Amino acid sequence: SDTDINSWQRQKKMTSVLLGYDLTPSEDRLAHFNYVWKEAMSKAKNGDEANMTEEEKTLANMQSAHIAKNFHMGKHLYAQRRFHEALGHLTDAYHELEDKWAQGDRGCHDSLWETAYLVACCHMALGQYEMACFYIQATAPFDIGKFTKVYVNCLVNNKDFDAWVKASNPAGRWGKPEELVGAAVFLASAASNY
């Protein structure tokens, strides 16, 4: 019947949303951050970097409690797969670090890269591949494997880029790793020296 068809068409347009809520009191989250921040700054001040965790090194490198708090909160939300919430904190930290960089503070580059990486990962998890590409391209050093992996995943999953690769390739598809063997052997041989 006509009603059944309309009902089916409406159902196609519906979307389910799952919201999460952290039951940890905000005071406890803030107390945890303050503890980690004080530990990181104390170890950095005393030159005890050998005993610092990667997170402590990143936080100490930020030199700003506000930026570090946004990064810390965002990273923990990211770990809980709460990507929308993580983006708010991480994007704020990224923009503040970007401002420090623009003002000539080159000491924050590792923190900027790590924050850009997490922002890109959040966007990628949400299927926002163009935004993920923007953040990973903006600051990421591609000699670090984790950045390259995120970037390649973004390009592959970005429908526009995928279509462009297929349209510009005579085979009309992505290449396969085994198809590179001949080229790799040639490039590794003396025949490619000229």
Side-chain angles (χ1 to χ4, degrees), residues 54-130:
E54 286 303 313
E55 184 175 25
E56 287 173 336
K57 288 177 187 176
T58 302
L59 294 177
N61 189 32
M62 292 179 179
Q63 295 294 317
S64 162
H66 185 260
I67 297 172
K69 179 182 166 198
N70 273 324
F71 176 82
H72 178 79
M73 298 296 190
K75 186 173 182 180
H76 284 274
L77 290 166
Y78 171 80
Q80 296 172 9
R81 304 182 53 80
R82 294 167 57 188
F83 305 117
H84 284 286
E85 294 167 274
L87 272 175
H89 292 285
L90 292 169
T91 304
D92 286 349
Y94 172 82
H95 290 299
E96 289 184 59
L97 287 165
E98 191 177 45
D99 289 343
K100 285 179 70 171
W101 180 267
Q103 294 169 8
D105 181 354
R106 298 299 182 239
C108 69
H109 71 280
D110 287 342
S111 300
L112 184 61
W113 290 343
E114 185 66 22
T115 306
Y117 169 75
L118 289 172
V119 171
C121 288
C122 286
H123 281 295
M124 192 172 75
L126 295 170
Q128 300 166 346
Y129 300 108
E130 287 180 29

